């Protein structure tokens, strides 16, 4: 394969073609997803058809940049299975050559001869990033030097700008920023193509960033010297190829046992003389010897009881064609040591058990499902007769099949759960708009009204900003709307932080979050601590609805309310840390 020099003397360079895309007045725009899986006009292929473009950096660049560029071939190979060539060019002589064809060029403005040469020849415009703090630019250019048809350029305004730009490309191709720390494997992509245009992250909004490490000893206290200095760490040498050797030394049980470990145990791990002690066994382990017999027990999805010991007949949570929870199941288990045969017989042909008969050694899980094309409309209770080891147990399956055509998010199992960002309609008004904030919610994106300097809105009018969510409830009766909000402080004088909720054309109910929860950010009381540690503030309003379709409206009252999720409880909501999964919708 022929090679061409990338650092040729300027006199030998042909006039450069203009850049692939002209800069915008405000510089490179942040475009989510600038690396796609298909070729197209103007797109650059970092990897395509089993080949990868060479990656080029100058050794005259910052040492940190040269180090980070060394990660790019690893990341491309992790995603595509193809490893690109890495060429580190001699910044003095320029004699190092790379394969002819498309290349990826990485460098820092004012430090890399590669980047500065492109700028001098008019091939690359860096005016929108030069001199800025930690800012990067990604752009496809044509004819950067003779013999090279195209180049994908990653340029930074300073050392960290280039580093962030390189790692942003890794993130775009599918490598998690937590790849190393959390051992997150990327999804395979056979093709990688960069969209034409100018892409960038912009200048960081926060100039100085950092993170704090808690409970650093013994895990980090032993692990860090092993990787970065003298020392040997105990622990498992096998996990992840030994990378986390020393991280299995943190006790998990025993904190707070002052009588055993001394006065620091109220906040510190069990330790003596600065060294962690092994886990205490709590509660004490007790061996249970099973009888030499066959004895059937039955447990169902939901309760913590088992039958026939609990008495009566167990019932599965209701089935619905709109449920978003995992499928329903029945566990048949052996309370002895001798295996036994079992049989499970549903009382309707449209109710199916995946393993209707078999042998139980320890435990067998039976998945139960409904054939909705054959199930009758309305509410039906179907028995499932289970027999084994001479013991019968009847499990009741409650099946709820809609009598009316639903609209929007549909109630199942006694609730409707909606991620706020999935509103049916996002309504702006009176100078206030909504902004979607990715991943801010505990289970999804969050929504916040902007600008945050907008005045409070009271009384509310139909022209005001709101989120509208279409939904359907199955029956008449009272409902409770739980608003899952991000914990925020009130920023305006007067009452605490407020929002409002209404259904259809009913008057909105205003909720003062501060008054409703008792959370006080000025004293950082217990409720405030709980809200911030859970990253949620839950408040409720009561309403009454008729069966059928409705529109739930979430209104802006104060500007800094951030809503994550809305849950309508019609009587079946069960307590959980993150709240129920989002309901299925009919739109």
């Amino acid at each position: 394969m022929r090679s061409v020099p990338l650092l040729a003397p300027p006199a030998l360079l042909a006039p450069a073609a203009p850049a692939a895309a002209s800069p915008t007045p405000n510089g490179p725009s942040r475009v989510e997803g600038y690396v796609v899986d298909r070729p197209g006009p103007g797109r650059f292929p970092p990897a395509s058809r089993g080949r990868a473009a060479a990656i080029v950096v100058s050794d005259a660049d910052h040492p940190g940049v040269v180090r980070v560029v060394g990660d790019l071939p690893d990341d491309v190979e992790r995603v595509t299975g193809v490893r690109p060539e890495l060429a580190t060019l001699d910044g003095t002589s320029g004699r190092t050559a790379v394969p002819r064809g498309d290349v990826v060029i990485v460098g820092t403005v004012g430090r890399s001869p590669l980047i500065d040469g492109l700028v001098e020849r008019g091939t690359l415009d860096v005016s929108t990033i030069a001199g800025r703090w930690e800012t990067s630019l990604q752009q496809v250019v044509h004819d950067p030097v003779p013999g090279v048809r195209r180049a994908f350029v990653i340029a930074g305004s300073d050392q960290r700008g280039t580093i962030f730009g390189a790692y942003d490309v890794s993130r775009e191709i599918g490598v998690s920023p937590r790849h190393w720390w959390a051992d997150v494997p990327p999804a395979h992509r056979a093709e990688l193509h960069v969209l034409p245009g100018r892409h960038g992250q912009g200048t960081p909004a926060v100039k100085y960033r950092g993170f704090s490490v808690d409970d650093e000893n013994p895990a980090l206290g032993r692990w860090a010297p092993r990787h970065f200095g003298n020392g040997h760490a105990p622990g498992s040498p096998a996990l992840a190829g030994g990378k986390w050797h020393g991280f299995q030394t943190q006790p998990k049980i025993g904190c707070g046992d002052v009588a055993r470990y001394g006065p620091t145990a109220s906040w510190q791990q069990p330790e003596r003389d600065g060294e962690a002690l092994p886990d205490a066994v709590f509660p004490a382990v007790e061996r249970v010897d099973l009888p030499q017999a066959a004895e059937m027990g039955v447990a169902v999805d939901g309760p913590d009881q088992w039958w026939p010991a609990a008495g009566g007949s167990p019932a599965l949570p209701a089935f619905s064609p709109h449920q978003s929870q995992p499928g329903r199941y029945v566990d048949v288990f052996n309370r002895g040591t001798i295996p036994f045969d079992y049989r499970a017989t549903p009382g309707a042909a449209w109710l199916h058990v995946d393993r209707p008969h078999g042998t139980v050694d320890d435990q067998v899980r039976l998945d139960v499902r409904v054939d909705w094309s054959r199930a009758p409309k309305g509410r039906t209770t179907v028995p499932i007769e289970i027999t084994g080891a001479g013991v019968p147990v009847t499990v009741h399956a409650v099946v709820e099949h809609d009598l009316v055509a639903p609209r929007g998010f549909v109630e199942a199992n006694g609730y409707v759960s909606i991620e706020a960002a999935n509103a049916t309609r996002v309504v702006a008004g009176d100078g206030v708009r909504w902004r979607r904030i990715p991943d801010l919610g505990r289970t999804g994106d969050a929504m916040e009204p902007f600008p945050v300097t907008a005045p409070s809105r009271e009384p509310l009018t139909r022209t005001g900003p709101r989120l509208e969510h279409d939904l359907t409830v199955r029956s008449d009766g009272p409902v409770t709307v739980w608003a899952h909000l991000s914990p925020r402080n009130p920023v305006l004088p007067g009452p605490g932080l407020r929002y409002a909720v209404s259904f259809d054309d009913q008057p909105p109910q205003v909720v003062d979050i501060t008054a409703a929860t008792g959370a006080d950010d000025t004293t950082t009381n217990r409720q405030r601590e709980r809200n911030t540690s859970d990253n949620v503030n839950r408040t409720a309003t009561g309403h009454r609805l008729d069966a059928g379709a409705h529109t739930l409206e979430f209104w802006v009252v104060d500007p800094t309310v951030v809503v994550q999720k809305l849950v309508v409880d019609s009587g079946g909501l069960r307590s959980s840390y993150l709240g129920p999964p989002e309901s299925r919708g009919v739109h």
Side-chain angles (χ1 to χ4, degrees), residues 534-548:
D534 288 346
N535 192 33
V536 71
N537 189 322
R538 284 182 286 256
T539 49
T541 53
H543 310 262
R544 187 171 187 85
L545 299 178
D546 296 331

Side-chain angles (χ1 to χ4, degrees), residues 252-254 257 260 279-287:
K252 305 300 187 296
I253 302 173
D257 192 343
R260 182 177 179 185
D279 280 343
V281 178
F282 180 84
V285 176
E286 180 181 354
R287 175 176 291 277

Side-chain angles (χ1 to χ4, degrees), residues 43-46 52-55 99-104 147-152:
R43 297 179 183 180
F44 177 92
I55 300 172
R100 182 187 299 271
D102 295 336
V103 297
V104 178
V148 176
R149 186 169 66 93
R150 289 181 301 178
F152 175 44

Side-chain angles (χ1 to χ4, degrees), residues 259-277:
R260 182 177 179 185
Y261 299 115
T264 63
S266 60
W267 62 273
Q268 181 60 284
Q269 65 199 4
E271 64 180 30
R272 287 197 181 96
D273 300 325
E275 280 293 314
L277 299 175

Side-chain angles (χ1 to χ4, degrees), residues 6 60 99 157 172 194 244 377 477 479 506 548 574:
L6 272 190
S157 62
E172 281 286 332
V194 178
W244 302 117
K377 295 289 186 178
V479 299
Q506 298 175 4
R574 298 168 63 183

Side-chain angles (χ1 to χ4, degrees), residues 421-440:
N422 293 334
T424 309
R425 289 169 294 278
V426 178
V427 182
D430 300 339
V432 177
R433 66 190 188 280
W434 290 91
R435 180 177 295 177
R436 184 184 188 125
I437 306 177
D439 301 322
L440 184 63

